Amino acid sequence: MSLKFAILGLLDEEPHYGYEIKQKFEQMMGSLWPISYGQLYPTLRKLAEEKLVTMQTVQGKKAVEKNVYSITNSGRERFLRWLGKKDKKDQLSIKDEFTLSLFFLHRLEKQQAVELLRLKAEDVKNRERTYSEEMRSHGPIYKKLLTRKMLLYIQAEQAWLQEVMVEINIDCPEA
Amino acid sequence: MSLKFAILGLLDEEPHYGYEIKQKFEQMMGSLWPISYGQLYPTLRKLAEEKLVTMQTVQGKKAVEKNVYSITNSGRERFLRWLGKKDKKDQLSIKDEFTLSLFFLHRLEKQQAVELLRLKAEDVKNRERTYSEEMRSHGPIYKKLLTRKMLLYIQAEQAWLQEVMVEINIDCPEA
DNA sequence: CACAACATGTAAGATGTTACATGATTGA
DNA sequence: TCAATCATGTAACATCTTACATGTTGTG
């Protein structure tokens, strides 16, 4: 679970409460890595159980209570050990529905298969435009590198789709 | 769950038993999408519960029993509906540990950070070589396209890593 | 005979999403 | 006053991995 380390990393800078962690994290990731409360709060509880963070309830405005989490020495140590680890998990994979469906595309009418590819290419093109524009906006260097990574991946997918379309048309020519 | 549809797609060609499905699927995917029995058998059970497949136990050699699954009309209909669907989920994401750790790299000694990047680049280069070689081997067109996709993604990551290394060195120059 | 490959499963846990449930505060 | 945002959580479900548990068959 990398969220665990993301939280530890944020708390290593300063204490935060849950709602704030979600905001900061997603802002940092530029919406490329959204997290849900259904994942966040249980994770915070587990971190507290493992004594990697401590929780303190503080009064906010009037009747509002916030649960502020701080990293412990043990947590900081754990975070740095993770950060320095050389064999981090790489999630680069192609286990998506579209790629899978390629293997069965020949069971559709040629016309429908071509249409699906066309729509996919259009979708990828739109995402390419979105991230290209985002690259032109200003922001912290790390967020920019993240956007750049996404853009490079999308362009790779775009190039691949072109190759797929050529192959599909060669494989089952129109006339 | 795309595995569900992968199974239906395989069974749409001909009946198979569990062990065989795993073999065929992984062979089809060229080891880029391994599946475990802990996932396969429960999924087959669920498909049977949903009446998308039927199971029949047949005698193999001597005392060996095989559970052969066949697709039902309902299952075939479900599969084709999925195959023709225009808005398939796209899993392209960058939620991996290495990317996350980039945001915290400045908390390591510069030397250690650079070493981590170097190791990562080396790892990516090795994977690039592996898939490049795989591209030169012969095989079915769809498997080839899959390998090609992986190769393009890896090359995108490689290019990105180069950019990251430049930025990191500019950001915190050695001397 | 031993070991690889064949064959089927379960149990526990990691990781994540979606929907539900509650209530306070702020600004239009 | 009404809606958006702030704030915290739970429950159910979906997906997937790892380890466990069992037994057969073919090959050297």
Side-chain angles (χ1 to χ4, degrees):
Chain A
M1 194 202 233
S2 357
L3 180 60
K4 185 165 145 173
F5 296 107
I7 292 171
L8 289 178
L10 286 175
L11 295 183
D12 191 28
E13 279 165 351
E14 53 178 329
H16 291 292
Y17 53 95
Y19 188 87
E20 196 181 22
I21 288 171
K22 180 163 155 45
Q23 279 187 313
K24 285 226 173 182
F25 184 70
E26 287 176 350
Q27 182 186 327
M28 185 166 112
M29 292 302 171
S31 77
L32 259 61
W33 193 333
I35 53 180
S36 62
Y37 293 118
Q39 193 190 354
L40 177 63
Y41 289 116
T43 302
L44 282 168
R45 187 168 42 72
K46 276 168 216 153
L47 283 170
E49 279 164 13
E50 291 178 72
K51 313 269 189 205
L52 302 177
V53 305
T54 55
M55 191 198 89
Q56 197 190 354
T57 302
V58 301
Q59 284 302 129
K61 298 286 176 66
K62 293 179 186 173
V64 179
E65 288 196 340
K66 298 175 185 180
N67 296 333
V68 174
Y69 295 87
S70 311
I71 197 165
T72 62
N73 286 334
S74 167
R76 187 167 288 111
E77 194 197 300
R78 187 93 171 68
F79 172 69
L80 287 174
R81 206 163 61 232
W82 169 79
L83 189 58
K85 201 154 60 85
K86 292 172 193 347
D87 59 336
K88 298 206 186 67
K89 283 283 171 202
D90 185 24
Q91 282 312 108
L92 186 47
S93 85
I94 49 180
K95 303 180 186 180
D96 64 288
E97 295 203 341
F98 178 79
T99 306
L100 178 64
S101 69
L102 257 197
F103 285 86
F104 304 112
L105 224 50
H106 58 275
R107 297 204 217 156
L108 290 178
E109 305 275 330
K110 158 107 192 217
Q111 187 194 340
Q112 201 183 351
V114 168
E115 174 68 2
L116 277 177
L117 286 173
R118 201 189 58 72
L119 281 169
K120 180 73 178 177
E122 206 176 281
D123 177 51
V124 173
K125 189 168 187 170
N126 283 333
R127 287 194 291 146
E128 203 263 341
R129 193 159 40 229
T130 302
Y131 288 107
S132 286
E133 272 161 27
E134 180 143 353
M135 276 307 291
R136 278 194 287 278
S137 71
H138 295 286
I141 174 72
Y142 292 111
K143 189 176 162 185
K144 204 128 195 172
L145 281 173
L146 205 66
T147 306
R148 179 72 182 145
K149 182 173 194 177
M150 203 59 190
L151 184 57
L152 286 171
Y153 274 177
I154 288 170
Q155 287 169 347
E157 187 167 19
Q158 213 167 17
W160 178 72
L161 264 179
Q162 291 303 317
E163 294 184 16
V164 171
M165 286 192 279
V166 168
E167 290 287 351
I168 296 291
N169 275 296
I170 286 173
D171 249 34
C172 33
E174 199 93 38
Chain B
M1 196 203 230
S2 359
L3 179 60
K4 187 166 145 173
F5 296 107
I7 292 171
L8 288 178
L10 286 176
L11 294 183
D12 191 27
E13 280 166 348
E14 52 177 331
H16 291 292
Y17 53 96
Y19 188 86
E20 196 182 22
I21 288 171
K22 178 161 155 50
Q23 279 187 313
K24 285 225 172 182
F25 184 70
E26 287 176 350
Q27 183 185 326
M28 186 167 111
M29 293 301 172
S31 78
L32 259 60
W33 193 332
I35 53 179
S36 63
Y37 292 118
Q39 192 190 356
L40 178 63
Y41 288 115
T43 303
L44 282 169
R45 188 169 40 72
K46 276 168 216 152
L47 283 171
E49 279 164 13
E50 290 179 71
K51 311 271 190 201
L52 302 177
V53 305
T54 56
M55 191 198 88
Q56 197 190 354
T57 303
V58 301
Q59 284 302 128
K61 298 287 176 67
K62 293 181 185 169
V64 179
E65 288 196 341
K66 298 175 184 179
N67 297 333
V68 174
Y69 295 86
S70 310
I71 197 166
T72 62
N73 285 333
S74 168
R76 187 166 289 114
E77 193 198 300
R78 188 93 172 68
F79 172 68
L80 286 174
R81 204 163 62 232
W82 169 79
L83 189 56
K85 202 155 57 88
K86 294 174 191 347
D87 58 335
K88 297 207 187 66
K89 284 281 171 205
D90 186 22
Q91 281 312 109
L92 186 47
S93 86
I94 50 181
K95 304 178 185 179
D96 63 288
E97 295 202 341
F98 178 80
T99 306
L100 176 64
S101 68
L102 257 197
F103 285 86
F104 304 114
L105 223 51
H106 58 274
R107 296 200 219 159
L108 290 179
E109 306 276 331
K110 158 107 191 212
Q111 187 194 341
Q112 201 182 352
V114 168
E115 174 67 1
L116 277 178
L117 286 173
R118 202 189 56 73
L119 281 170
K120 180 73 178 176
E122 206 176 282
D123 177 50
V124 174
K125 189 167 187 170
N126 283 332
R127 287 194 292 145
E128 203 262 341
R129 193 159 38 228
T130 302
Y131 288 107
S132 287
E133 273 160 25
E134 180 142 351
M135 277 308 289
R136 279 194 286 279
S137 71
H138 295 287
I141 174 72
Y142 291 112
K143 189 176 162 185
K144 204 126 195 173
L145 281 173
L146 204 68
T147 306
R148 180 71 182 147
K149 183 173 193 177
M150 202 60 192
L151 184 57
L152 286 171
Y153 274 176
I154 289 170
Q155 286 170 349
E157 187 167 19
Q158 214 167 15
W160 178 72
L161 264 178
Q162 292 302 316
E163 293 183 17
V164 171
M165 286 192 280
V166 168
E167 289 290 350
I168 296 292
N169 274 296
I170 287 172
D171 248 33
C172 33
E174 199 95 37

